[in-house]
Amino acid sequence: MTATAVLTARALLLDMDGTLVNSDASVERVWRRWSERHGLDGDEVMKVVHGRQGYASMALLLPGRPMEQNYADNARMLAEETADTEGVVPIPGAPEFLASLRGLPHALVTSADVPLSTARMAAAGLELPEVRVTAESVGASKPDPEGFLKGAAELGVAPADCVVFEDSGAGIAAGRSAGMTVVGVGSRAASHAPDVVVDDLTQVRVEAAGDGMIRLHIG
């Protein structure tokens, strides 16, 4: 589908990093330091880490390492990322997009934990949605669909009636596995075949269509 479309939904499920918040500078700094510590190619590491929880990325990058070490390492990484908000800014159109969702069913579904998601949304000057599915809420990282399915359940909406906004391959795969329509945000999303791609959130207009429906004008 092209970047010009009208989609309907009963709820929207929103990723954070790369979708609402541009945190690439922080992510790059933290993960490239981690790459150096483990003798890995930073460029190759950056191809893996977007969209996943840290422990899941580590499991792919260091196969055979005990998961207990990945969980412990991930906790340290989350603390580093939470403390590093330099250069964290909103994706263009994100403030207006979130404002247009007030009173409409929507949820944040992020691989970040509560402290990290709170810090990054605050650094970007964005209001946190009332319903949030964070790393603490799930047992499996994206690309597993658990987070999106939990978001739909929290909102009381069938998965097929949800539209996901995502930027990463792992997140887009999770949305598809959940049986949801996926809007890809940004250049990273374009190579992962979401249903619709937009450059940023200035290309999305939200309309309350009545009868509990949300109409999304894309493009």
Side-chain angles (χ1 to χ4, degrees):
M1 191 178 289
T2 67
T4 301
V6 177
L7 305 176
T8 56
R10 292 191 178 275
L12 307 185
L13 303 177
L14 317 173
D15 175 52
M16 183 182 70
D17 293 302
T19 301
L20 298 173
V21 171
N22 182 346
S23 57
D24 283 359
S26 173
V27 173
E28 288 263 350
R29 286 191 293 268
V30 171
W31 277 99
R32 285 187 182 277
R33 286 198 299 268
W34 183 89
S35 304
E36 290 175 9
R37 289 198 295 269
H38 294 279
L40 299 175
D41 185 313
D43 291 339
E44 293 303 311
V45 168
M46 295 313 302
K47 293 176 184 178
V48 172
V49 301
H50 291 291
R52 292 182 172 85
Q53 291 193 44
Y55 73 83
S57 296
M58 293 169 190
L60 291 173
L61 293 163
L62 297 173
R65 188 169 83 154
M67 281 304 295
E68 290 77 9
Q69 290 186 34
N70 294 335
Y71 287 127
D73 213 357
N74 184 47
R76 289 189 291 270
M77 292 282 284
L78 285 168
E80 283 187 54
E81 290 184 289
T82 301
D84 183 356
T85 57
E86 183 180 352
V88 174
V89 296
I91 293 292
E96 297 81 4
F97 175 68
L98 286 172
S100 73
L101 295 181
R102 288 180 188 139
L104 300 175
H106 68 286
L108 187 72
V109 181
T110 176
S111 295
D113 64 3
V114 168
L116 180 57
S117 58
T118 302
R120 284 188 174 159
M121 291 289 280
L126 298 176
E127 185 178 344
L128 277 164
E130 184 177 334
V131 177
R132 299 184 288 276
V133 179
T134 60
E136 297 94 337
S137 309
V138 297
S141 170
K142 300 172 185 177
D144 191 282
E146 181 185 359
F148 287 125
L149 293 172
K150 282 200 167 184
E154 287 267 349
L155 295 169
V157 175
D161 290 329
C162 295
V163 170
V164 165
F165 283 76
E166 262 287 359
D167 74 300
S168 70
I172 290 166
R176 285 191 172 282
S177 294
M180 300 171 181
T181 300
V182 181
V183 176
V185 180
S187 58
R188 191 158 49 225
S191 61
H192 298 288
D195 296 287
V196 178
V197 182
V198 295
D199 293 331
D200 55 45
L201 295 172
T202 64
Q203 295 180 315
V204 182
R205 183 169 63 85
V206 178
E207 177 190 0
D211 194 29
M213 299 302 293
I214 302 167
R215 188 173 290 124
L216 300 170
H217 300 268
I218 309 289

